[in-house]
Amino acid sequence: MNTKAVNLTEALASFDDVYSPRIVARMNDYDVRIAHTLGEHVWHVHEDTDEFFLVLDGRFDIAIRDAAGDETTVVLHKGDTFVVPRGTEHKPSSPGGSILMFEPSGTLTTGDRHDGEVPANVDSTTGHELS
Amino acid sequence: MNTKAVNLTEALASFDDVYSPRIVARMNDYDVRIAHTLGEHVWHVHEDTDEFFLVLDGRFDIAIRDAAGDETTVVLHKGDTFVVPRGTEHKPSSPGGSILMFEPSGTLTTGDRHDGEVPANVDSTTGHELS
């Protein structure tokens, strides 16, 4: 049986890429992922799943757009948790930080659909293994 | 739409009970729960679900028992993550700390079955609302 813990600080120190999540744990059919955050993500939506965020360090903002097209930005600091409900258009941004996410394995960072081009600083991925 | 973040430090400061998880977030049919930890929990098993732990502060140990009855203790400190696989008998203990857990809504703190009496310092619950 695996008896090895994964430390989040060490895991975050093992890579530099931003918006390129690493999978630190799997439980049932869910992933626990961590990512460095910096700059603007892309507007996207996960139609079939909520998405849980915990800010590990720094600041991480989530702009959300309601059905009428009105935007609100949720500002998150270290220790803050927030759930983006399924079907909600959202765009993360950050002046620098790191986050932990819970989501079903296979969830794409850029959602089921996204607005325009994926920026160069955003990795469109279902998560990478820790190396 | 809810745009209110829940801060883990504030949430932990809002109650004192040990081994009595509060639900800080719900995503899909899962809960994100936090708990203060102190003393011995009870040997128990979740037959149908893995259980994810993140140590937020202090130290939190998880004794696990394999099919042959042999015990190993996984020692966890702040920032450490660990998944107890479904069907694995385990018993948490702690000299003092706090944890975050991710598990299906309705998961009982004392499992589908447990050894002997539930100690007085362990709340057998599916989690409480933050007040």
Side-chain angles (χ1 to χ4, degrees):
Chain A
M1 188 183 306
N2 170 44
T3 56
K4 179 98 178 60
V6 175
N7 183 273
L8 294 184
T9 304
E10 292 172 14
L12 282 166
S14 73
F15 67 104
D16 292 323
D17 319 74
V18 304
Y19 295 133
S20 183
R22 263 57 173 180
I23 299 168
V24 292
R26 289 183 168 86
M27 64 92 66
N28 299 341
D29 50 353
Y30 280 70
D31 291 344
V32 180
R33 303 180 189 172
I34 57 172
H36 297 290
T37 63
L38 182 66
E40 303 282 311
H41 206 278
V42 65
W43 280 102
H44 66 283
V45 62
H46 305 284
E47 297 291 5
D48 301 317
T49 183
D50 303 339
E51 199 171 22
F52 171 84
F53 294 93
L54 164 64
V55 179
L56 298 174
D57 260 311
R59 181 176 145 184
F60 180 69
D61 298 346
I62 307 176
I64 52 181
R65 197 187 270 159
D66 68 18
D70 292 327
E71 294 178 12
T72 308
T73 297
V74 181
V75 176
L76 303 173
H77 297 96
K78 182 175 179 169
D80 283 342
T81 66
F82 189 73
V83 174
V84 175
R86 65 185 67 192
T88 304
E89 296 188 339
H90 61 288
K91 184 176 72 81
S93 65
S94 173
S98 56
I99 57 172
L100 176 147
M101 291 162 283
F102 289 137
E103 49 202 338
S105 300
T107 301
L108 195 60
T109 49
T110 49
D112 301 307
R113 55 186 169 78
H114 56 82
D115 286 6
E117 297 282 309
V118 174
N121 66 322
V122 173
D123 184 11
S124 188
T125 177
T126 55
H128 301 280
E129 299 299 313
L130 272 178
S131 52
Chain B
M1 189 184 305
N2 170 45
T3 56
K4 179 97 178 60
V6 175
N7 183 272
L8 294 185
T9 304
E10 292 172 14
L12 282 166
S14 73
F15 67 103
D16 292 322
D17 319 73
V18 304
Y19 295 133
S20 182
R22 264 57 175 181
I23 298 168
V24 292
R26 290 183 167 85
M27 64 91 65
N28 298 342
D29 51 353
Y30 280 70
D31 291 345
V32 179
R33 304 180 189 172
I34 56 172
H36 298 291
T37 62
L38 182 65
E40 303 283 311
H41 205 279
V42 65
W43 280 102
H44 67 282
V45 63
H46 305 283
E47 296 291 5
D48 301 318
T49 183
D50 303 338
E51 199 172 22
F52 171 83
F53 295 92
L54 164 63
V55 179
L56 298 174
D57 260 310
R59 179 175 147 186
F60 180 68
D61 298 346
I62 306 177
I64 51 182
R65 196 188 271 159
D66 69 17
D70 292 328
E71 296 179 11
T72 308
T73 297
V74 182
V75 176
L76 303 173
H77 298 95
K78 182 174 180 170
D80 283 342
T81 66
F82 189 73
V83 174
V84 175
R86 65 186 66 194
T88 304
E89 296 187 340
H90 60 288
K91 183 177 71 82
S93 65
S94 172
S98 56
I99 57 171
L100 177 147
M101 288 163 284
F102 184 52
E103 51 201 338
S105 300
T107 300
L108 194 61
T109 49
T110 49
D112 301 306
R113 55 185 168 79
H114 57 83
D115 286 5
E117 298 282 308
V118 175
N121 65 322
V122 172
D123 183 12
S124 188
T125 178
T126 57
H128 300 280
E129 300 300 312
L130 272 177
S131 54

